[in-house]
Amino acid sequence: MKSFKKSLFAVFFSIVLLMTACSMTLSTEKVGQVKDSNDEITESSGAKDSEDTEEEKEIAASKGAKDMINISYTDFYKDKYRPQFHFTPPRYWMNDPNGMVYYEGEYHLFYQHYPYDIKWGAMHWGHAVSTDLIHWEHLPIALYPDDIGFIFSGCAVVDWNDTSGFFKGGSGLVAIFTHAGSRQMQSIAYSTDNGRTWVKYERNPVLIEENLKDFRDPKVFWYEPGKYWVMVIAAGNHVRFYTSPNLKEWEFASEFGKDEGSHDGVWECPDLFKLPIEGTDETKWVLVVSIGANPGVPEGSRTQYFIGHFDGKRFINDNSKETVLWLDYGRDNYAGVTWSDIPEEQNRRVFIGWMSNWKYAGRTPTTSWRGAMTFPRELKLVKNEDGFIYLSQQPIAELSKLRDECLVNLRDILIGSEKTNLSVASGDLLEIIAELELETAEKFGIKVRKSEQKSQETIVGYDAIQKKIFIDRTRSGDLVEEPVIHYAPLETKDNRIQLHILVDRSSVEVFANDGKVVMTDLIFPDLDSQDVEIFSENGTIKITSLVIYKLRSIYEKHYAEEGLSISEK
């Protein structure tokens, strides 16, 4: 989420309300105009008109339900930029993932949503559920703006012991979110029917800080040693911690970060969780913090993390204040957080982020929808040979369900002595697993979504001189933003690098050296730009191993139900 200048608030808020009201009377097929500048894609302290009638609210609710029912999956396939195995909203605008929780066999994914246009507006919570984190069932909008304010980002938890008193001694879901009205305040809602309907707490808001302008994006978890709930929440240039016995009454505990890590932009969307260090008996706490876009920072919005200790009230950073650990070195992974209440037997922490960047989020070249999520990732803590601890990421294991056929399986192929480029496959939905050995080359890597005319390509490469991995979007299609090439430090392992790459219609995700370095980027090539090529510059490399899988669309079942034949695809 992004802060809005106070001087623009009154005008913007009035326009949003007028557009929202007008949109309710328009066809659900209406598509809005693209914003011309990122300055307009900002978030306001605003509240929906308190004079909305019950009839208007029912119209809005029925429209949201109708949009979920009247989905043409055939249109999904014909849309050249619609991701085929990443989550997207059926229509209109989406940004931050919210309320991610597992309950009664379902993974819930809520998200920041403007259900009347493809540009940012009065925020709602969209909603979907899944049993495998890959195939999603879209549900009607969960939370609508009200007389307190828009529904900004937040979380959801399972109140197993009915500490809130909402569930008559049983368990249920509680959402904790930011109400953005006259100021940013924290409120709660609860569901007694597995998240299908929600009741806002009659005494909202439950937490107000009068002296904080930026005060949003609560993430809450149960702290078992203290038998209380902990909230971590962003407050401009730091995060704050609160505790509560019942999710309704909150007490300030501490703050962290005013002089630690990166402050390139406003702090947002925090998360806090404990992880074991792989191969040891140690555990550490991980604090994730997103950083909003800043006109003076070319990278735009990004996400950092800290590793340290948490005693139930205070977080202590293990690294120096100047140390900055980036979660993702690409340009398009923001506001990501992890699922709450995943069963202990799964023994994993799963993350998902908004696959865009506030620098250009309102100008991506889509039509009926805007916004996608990263592929879900499992997070782990790893200690290297020098004792340095870092967060690794890998696609969740369920990815293997999407493998259709193995297109390539190569070993021990030399590139660069006589042939500097090797075409190996073609496809727009791919999983690439490669190990490349550096011999004498200065640069090498893999080109994806390459056109036959060689006018389009996205390069995932390694600069052996600088010892950096990079993504080059110079010729990736529409929406080329400076800097078009971005780098991340990466040492070879035994003179080799390992790459795990996911390619979808409008994205590429790179997991290097077992997820030590990750890069996520949006790309917008033509649909027929599908070639894959291995390259080497000024020397040789060896393809130690290369496996490429064609991936199935998560909508295949729906395509079949709508009679879309293989030839039509």
Side-chain angles (χ1 to χ4, degrees):
M1 295 194 294
K2 300 182 71 177
S3 298
F4 199 90
K5 297 178 181 178
K6 286 185 176 180
S7 61
L8 297 179
F9 160 66
V11 174
F12 174 81
F13 183 46
S14 298
I15 292 172
V16 168
L17 290 178
L18 179 60
M19 291 174 57
T20 301
C22 292
S23 297
M24 292 178 185
T25 64
L26 298 177
S27 163
T28 57
E29 296 301 323
K30 174 183 177 293
V31 176
Q33 298 298 312
V34 177
K35 282 187 179 289
D36 293 327
S37 72
N38 186 55
D39 289 339
E40 295 178 281
I41 308 295
T42 51
E43 293 180 0
S44 159
S45 294
K48 192 175 179 183
D49 193 337
S50 61
E51 296 181 357
D52 278 0
T53 66
E54 289 302 316
E55 181 180 1
E56 287 173 328
K57 292 178 181 178
E58 288 178 7
I59 290 172
S62 64
K63 178 190 181 300
K66 186 177 180 181
D67 272 2
M68 296 305 105
I69 295 171
N70 296 332
I71 296 173
S72 170
Y73 287 97
T74 300
D75 289 344
F76 279 23
Y77 200 89
K78 292 179 179 179
D79 184 337
K80 68 176 182 177
Y81 296 141
R82 170 79 74 164
Q84 295 296 297
F85 61 91
H86 290 78
F87 180 86
T88 54
R91 295 181 178 90
Y92 308 118
W93 172 273
M94 177 184 77
N95 54 287
D96 307 359
N98 294 158
M100 294 151 51
V101 65
Y102 181 91
Y103 186 57
E104 299 289 347
E106 292 179 322
Y107 298 92
H108 292 260
L109 172 60
F110 302 86
Y111 52 91
Q112 290 285 276
H113 186 41
Y114 185 56
Y116 310 114
D117 212 332
I118 61 167
K119 50 192 173 184
W120 191 94
M123 286 293 96
H124 302 53
W125 269 26
H127 188 196
V129 293
S130 174
T131 58
D132 63 3
L133 289 168
I134 294 177
H135 302 88
W136 294 92
E137 175 188 355
H138 295 283
L139 297 177
I141 291 167
L143 296 174
Y144 283 81
D146 54 29
D147 58 350
I148 301 178
F150 299 167
I151 312 298
F152 277 13
S153 287
C155 64
V157 297
V158 181
D159 187 3
W160 293 106
N161 300 313
D162 195 20
T163 63
S164 62
F166 291 142
F167 306 110
K168 298 179 180 179
S171 65
L173 296 174
V174 179
I176 307 96
F177 58 91
T178 297
H179 249 137
S182 58
R183 62 187 318 104
Q184 294 178 356
M185 306 160 283
Q186 314 319 312
S187 294
I188 60 176
Y190 63 94
S191 173
T192 59
D193 58 1
N194 290 8
R196 269 50 181 184
T197 60
W198 291 83
V199 178
K200 291 172 184 170
Y201 181 44
E202 61 184 6
R203 295 184 180 178
N204 280 338
V206 297
L207 179 58
I208 302 174
E209 288 285 6
E210 297 290 348
N211 298 321
L212 291 175
K213 174 179 173 284
D214 295 308
F215 185 54
R216 56 182 178 267
D217 313 335
K219 185 67 189 291
V220 172
F221 62 93
W222 179 254
Y223 185 69
E224 182 60 28
K227 304 294 183 184
Y228 52 74
W229 298 97
V230 171
M231 175 193 294
V232 57
I233 185 168
N237 64 351
H238 66 287
V239 296
R240 296 165 70 89
F241 300 96
Y242 294 80
T243 62
S244 172
N246 55 16
L247 298 169
K248 300 174 182 176
E249 300 161 321
W250 293 92
E251 179 180 347
F252 174 74
S254 68
E255 62 181 38
F256 168 82
K258 286 183 177 179
D259 59 351
E260 308 212 28
S262 172
H263 286 271
D264 285 343
V266 64
W267 281 23
E268 301 182 304
C269 303
D271 196 359
L272 179 66
F273 48 87
K274 186 166 68 170
L275 283 179
I277 300 173
E278 292 294 297
T280 76
D281 296 327
E282 297 179 75
T283 60
K284 292 286 183 180
W285 286 83
V286 180
L287 174 63
V288 176
V289 178
S290 289
I291 305 171
N294 180 333
V297 178
E299 291 83 3
S301 48
R302 293 183 286 175
T303 302
Q304 65 180 328
Y305 69 93
F306 302 88
I307 295 174
H309 301 270
F310 182 68
D311 64 3
K313 294 190 176 182
R314 291 174 178 80
F315 179 83
I316 299 174
N317 186 8
D318 278 358
N319 295 303
S320 68
K321 294 180 179 182
E322 297 76 22
T323 299
V324 178
L325 304 175
W326 295 116
L327 187 102
D328 196 308
Y329 285 86
R331 293 295 169 264
D332 297 298
N333 181 0
Y334 189 68
V337 287
T338 62
W339 262 272
S340 299
D341 293 281
I342 288 181
E344 289 185 7
E345 56 267 26
Q346 289 194 25
N347 192 32
R348 64 177 179 171
R349 176 66 58 167
V350 180
F351 169 99
I352 202 170
W354 174 44
M355 197 158 57
S356 194
N357 191 311
W358 279 119
K359 187 177 180 183
Y360 46 74
R363 294 183 283 112
T364 53
T366 56
T367 53
S368 63
W369 61 279
R370 181 170 281 146
M373 298 299 180
T374 65
F375 194 79
R377 304 166 180 189
E378 182 175 358
L379 305 182
K380 295 181 178 180
L381 283 179
V382 178
K383 182 183 291 187
N384 68 14
E385 299 82 0
D386 298 325
F388 182 76
I389 302 169
Y390 63 90
L391 195 63
S392 75
Q393 304 170 63
Q394 290 284 12
I396 57 171
E398 288 88 339
L399 172 66
S400 62
K401 294 182 179 180
L402 295 178
R403 291 175 180 170
D404 186 6
E405 61 177 305
C406 183
L407 302 176
V408 172
N409 192 343
L410 298 177
R411 289 186 178 276
D412 298 327
I413 304 293
L414 191 66
I415 303 292
S417 56
E418 297 179 0
K419 188 175 181 63
T420 59
N421 297 278
L422 177 65
S423 295
V424 290
S426 180
D428 59 344
L429 312 179
L430 298 173
E431 178 188 12
I432 302 171
I433 305 171
E435 183 176 79
L436 305 178
E437 183 175 336
L438 170 64
E439 293 195 340
T440 61
E442 294 181 0
K443 288 184 181 179
F444 61 93
I446 303 175
K447 299 178 180 180
V448 300
R449 299 303 307 271
K450 185 177 177 65
S451 63
E452 291 184 3
Q453 296 78 20
K454 303 186 186 302
S455 60
Q456 291 186 341
E457 63 185 16
T458 297
I459 304 174
V460 179
Y462 186 75
D463 187 320
I465 296 175
Q466 296 189 61
K467 296 183 179 180
K468 291 181 178 180
I469 188 172
F470 65 90
I471 292 180
D472 184 345
R473 295 194 291 183
T474 303
R475 296 194 292 172
S476 293
D478 289 348
L479 189 71
V480 175
E481 290 283 335
E482 296 290 343
V484 293
I485 306 175
H486 35 277
Y487 297 84
L490 182 70
E491 295 282 347
T492 59
K493 295 168 56 178
D494 299 325
N495 239 28
R496 300 177 180 184
I497 64 166
Q498 290 133 12
L499 299 173
H500 193 172
I501 303 173
L502 303 185
V503 179
D504 205 339
R505 285 194 173 171
S506 55
S507 66
V508 57
E509 293 170 282
V510 180
F511 306 83
N513 287 0
D514 298 318
K516 181 178 183 179
V517 171
V518 178
M519 305 182 83
T520 304
D521 273 359
L522 292 178
I523 57 174
F524 295 97
D526 296 335
L527 194 54
D528 58 359
S529 296
Q530 299 195 11
D531 290 347
V532 180
E533 184 177 278
I534 311 296
F535 75 94
S536 177
E537 294 182 6
N538 299 324
T540 59
I541 63 166
K542 180 190 288 186
I543 302 174
T544 307
S545 63
L546 175 65
V547 178
I548 302 179
Y549 294 99
K550 175 184 177 183
L551 298 180
R552 291 190 293 269
S553 168
I554 60 176
Y555 306 118
E556 276 198 351
K557 174 184 174 182
H558 300 292
Y559 295 152
E561 290 172 348
E562 293 184 6
L564 184 65
S565 70
I566 295 176
S567 61
E568 289 174 315
K569 296 182 196 176

